[in-house]
Amino acid sequence: MVPLSSEIHAGIYRQLVTGGGLKRFQIRQEQSDLLISARKVLEREAREALRQARAQIIDYAAGRKDFYTSLQPLAMDEQAPKIVCDMLQAGIVANVGPMAAVAGAVAQYVGEALLAFSDEVIVENGGDVFLCTATPPTLCVVAESAGTGCIHIRPAVPGLRSFGVCTSSGKLGPSLSLGNADSVTVLSERTAVADALATRLCNLVRRREDVRNVLEYSRTTPAEGVVVIMEDCIGARGSLEIVA
């Protein structure tokens, strides 16, 4: 997970990605830019899954104008497409609007579709990542403005093979954040939920003293693991390892 800045952009941080023997390829559609690793190059399948995901969100939002703009959770709609239900549910869980989960939901939708063709899949969508791997991957969290360099973490959730890891920043990157953290990274079973929770927790970090309280609050959520970087303060809890 690498929050973006003028110095650290997708073209650079994606050079740090290694796939552990998996084939790596990239697909783009409109605003979506996905880096995917799988057993084989699945460009056609990935493009179709991404097309479906985007079409379902756009079609649903056309009939519910507040879907794009709400900063508060919207009511669950059981008749909505699956990816929209994932976003609505994630928003409810994290107490944020559904669009806070869009990048994670798209990564999750495409990743789950590709599991029909490859037993290992990694889908990175702007720093929000769906993973299904045979062995726990090592992930790099960069908060350049904090001067902390790169922190390596490894998920450690027994029996959980498919999960999401997402990052929000109050200082870097294009996404809306109401907080001031250099970065908040969340590990959760569902990538859409990880994305929404990263936004929610990042919103709550305004100063260094908030880090401990935010970590404690995260225990009441579905976050399996959390890493918060605020200036020279780094806090972590849950089912992850800090790797030397």
Side-chain angles (χ1 to χ4, degrees):
M1 304 327 96
V2 185
L4 306 184
S5 72
S6 58
E7 290 77 25
I8 301 176
H9 54 79
I12 293 176
Y13 81 73
R14 284 182 168 176
Q15 295 177 15
L16 305 175
V17 178
T18 59
L22 300 178
K23 304 293 185 181
R24 189 172 63 175
F25 57 98
Q26 188 172 355
I27 61 169
R28 296 188 183 94
Q29 287 184 25
E30 302 294 333
Q31 304 95 333
S32 301
D33 183 356
L34 277 55
L35 178 66
I36 302 172
S37 297
R39 291 288 188 186
K40 54 186 176 181
V41 175
L42 299 166
E43 267 193 54
R44 180 176 61 82
E45 294 83 355
R47 288 186 187 281
E48 176 57 21
L50 179 57
R51 185 197 65 77
Q52 291 177 12
R54 291 179 54 86
Q56 289 176 22
I57 294 170
I58 292 169
D59 289 350
Y60 184 82
R64 191 169 182 177
K65 298 302 183 182
D66 56 349
F67 188 81
Y68 283 145
T69 58
S70 178
L71 300 182
Q72 302 298 320
L74 299 181
M76 177 55 68
D77 181 357
E78 300 295 346
Q79 304 305 312
K82 182 179 183 299
I83 189 170
V84 172
C85 286
D86 283 339
M87 293 171 65
L88 291 170
Q89 181 61 37
I92 293 168
V93 166
N95 194 30
V96 293
M99 285 299 289
V102 64
V106 169
Q108 177 180 296
Y109 186 96
V110 173
E112 289 179 341
L114 295 184
L115 287 175
F117 309 97
S118 173
D119 63 345
E120 292 192 73
V121 175
I122 302 172
V123 179
E124 181 265 320
N125 184 15
D128 298 318
V129 187
F130 166 88
L131 304 106
C132 183
T133 57
T135 57
T138 298
L139 307 171
C140 178
V141 183
V142 175
E144 184 183 48
S145 65
T148 56
C150 183
I151 299 172
H152 292 86
I153 62 172
R154 182 179 298 128
V157 185
L160 186 62
R161 186 163 178 259
S162 173
F163 53 90
V165 182
C166 298
T167 293
S168 181
S169 174
K171 297 180 179 178
L172 307 174
S175 298
L176 174 65
S177 176
L178 304 179
N180 199 37
D182 291 286
S183 68
V184 176
T185 299
V186 174
L187 162 67
S188 189
E189 185 171 357
R190 301 294 288 172
T191 314
V193 171
D195 194 4
L197 282 175
T199 297
R200 171 62 175 166
L201 297 180
C202 190
N203 286 346
L204 298 176
V205 181
R206 305 294 179 84
R207 53 184 186 165
R208 295 173 73 259
E209 291 76 11
D210 293 331
V211 172
R212 184 183 299 275
N213 291 336
V214 167
L215 290 174
E216 284 302 310
Y217 168 74
S218 74
R219 297 180 187 276
T220 68
T221 74
E224 296 282 355
V226 178
V227 177
V228 181
I229 301 175
M230 177 62 180
E231 298 175 348
D232 61 346
C233 180
I234 301 172
R237 61 148 290 265
S239 301
L240 51 82
E241 302 170 347
I242 304 297
V243 183

